[in-house]
Amino acid sequence: MTDPETVEQVARLVRNAERILVFTGAGISTGSGIPDFRGPQGVWKRKQPVYFQDFVASVEARTEHWDQKLEGYEAFRDAKPNAAHEALVAIERAGKLHLLVTQNIDGLHHAAGHDPDRVVELHGTNRAVECIRCGHVIEEIGPIFERFRETRTPPRCERETAGGGLCGGLLKTATISFGQAMPEEPMRRSLQAAEEADLVIAIGSTLSVQPAALVPKVAAEHAPYVIINRGETDQDALATVRVEDDAVSFLPRVVQAALE
Ligand SMILES: [Zn+2]
């Protein structure tokens, strides 16, 4: 367990801050039963990710995409926010959260009760399905997975077009696939928040995935930087305070010391 002096050191930074940028990765959600896709047991150790251009080009790749998503579907659906997610909501309610930027696609920050406007999901979300032709977003995803499980046919968009027909575009989980361009707006918002932040806290990320890891790095150029992670990160040398601990055990102690 991290020593009380370090808890107090981070609590003091939180107490003195007014515009905190929080950046999260898979490590914050492992305590909620979400598998770390890059970790030793991760799905990518066993399977190749489906690249976007293959998804568009071939029905086999689309079937593989939906198979992989189906494998994780129940774990994602049943996962609940943990004490670390809840601690970040407490920071927001204290009026100190400027923006929460996450690499995670599990939707647990939203589920924890954040103001949706304060959360940016850089890599999209598994909790919605999107038509890659018309942009239609479907949040009730259970029936789509059930139908795929039964028919093994990758789903298509059934939105009615102005002409009275159905769109028919390819449906995909609302995540950013390998080979798929990241939407510009979430990254632009995140970098702007990084410029404005007066404290940056990175949690549960190896800070190795680009361009996402640029977000805390930009903030760290002018603001104190706290990194909480089990295992080395690519930005350890930039940290004001480096905490080798699980966010689930560390963050609630910080929030209690800082806000109560
Ligand atoms: Zn469509």
Side-chain angles (χ1 to χ4, degrees):
M1 190 190 260
T2 305
D3 59 274
E5 291 73 26
T6 306
V7 172
E8 179 50 33
Q9 190 185 3
V10 177
R12 197 178 315 122
L13 290 170
V14 169
R15 221 178 283 131
N16 291 336
E18 293 176 346
R19 295 180 306 283
I20 303 175
L21 175 78
V22 176
F23 182 83
T24 66
I28 196 172
S29 295
T30 46
S32 291
I34 300 284
D36 181 351
F37 294 110
R38 289 169 205 281
Q41 305 301 321
V43 71
W44 291 343
K45 287 285 187 286
R46 294 178 285 117
K47 293 183 171 177
Q48 291 297 313
V50 176
Y51 278 71
F52 185 68
Q53 59 266 44
D54 297 332
F55 180 91
V56 172
S58 98
V59 69
E60 287 78 16
R62 291 196 284 282
T63 304
E64 177 64 21
H65 166 87
W66 282 99
D67 260 337
Q68 291 185 8
K69 291 296 178 177
L70 186 61
E71 187 182 329
Y73 167 63
E74 283 168 359
F76 274 92
R77 184 194 59 192
D78 298 338
K80 299 273 184 297
N82 62 48
H85 295 103
E86 285 161 10
L88 295 177
V89 173
I91 288 175
E92 177 186 301
R93 297 207 170 135
K96 290 175 175 290
L97 181 67
H98 191 43
L99 194 68
L100 195 169
V101 179
T102 186
Q103 300 170 278
N104 297 340
I105 56 176
D106 53 41
L108 288 177
H109 290 301
H110 286 297
H114 279 284
D115 174 351
D117 289 342
R118 296 251 172 224
V119 178
V120 169
E121 294 171 309
L122 278 182
H123 297 158
T125 178
N126 255 348
R127 296 201 178 221
V129 164
E130 197 169 17
C131 170
I132 66 171
R133 177 183 291 163
C134 74
H136 181 45
V137 175
I138 302 161
E139 290 184 345
E140 207 172 310
I141 60 176
I144 294 175
F145 277 103
E146 286 312 319
R147 207 196 296 176
F148 174 73
R149 197 198 301 268
E150 284 165 22
T151 65
R152 309 280 308 149
T153 304
R156 285 183 178 266
C157 180
E158 296 181 354
R159 186 196 219 177
E160 284 195 27
T161 62
L166 298 180
C167 166
L170 303 174
L171 292 181
K172 182 177 158 302
T173 54
T175 49
I176 310 300
S177 296
F178 284 91
Q180 185 174 15
M182 272 197 4
E184 283 173 25
E185 179 58 17
M187 195 63 194
R188 192 201 59 74
R189 262 189 83 200
S190 301
L191 289 173
Q192 185 184 331
E195 299 278 1
E196 296 159 350
D198 60 4
L199 172 64
V200 50
I201 307 177
I203 303 164
S205 170
T206 57
L207 302 166
S208 59
V209 177
Q210 303 297 343
L214 191 59
V215 173
K217 190 161 183 261
V218 163
E221 282 166 14
H222 60 89
Y225 189 10
V226 179
I227 298 179
I228 305 161
N229 192 54
R230 278 239 184 264
E232 277 181 22
T233 84
D234 283 7
Q235 296 180 10
D236 284 350
L238 304 177
T240 315
V241 185
R242 173 66 173 90
V243 181
E244 180 70 30
D245 200 352
D246 277 323
V248 172
S249 52
F250 182 74
L251 266 187
R253 296 170 68 202
V254 167
V255 164
Q256 192 175 15
L259 306 179
E260 287 167 18

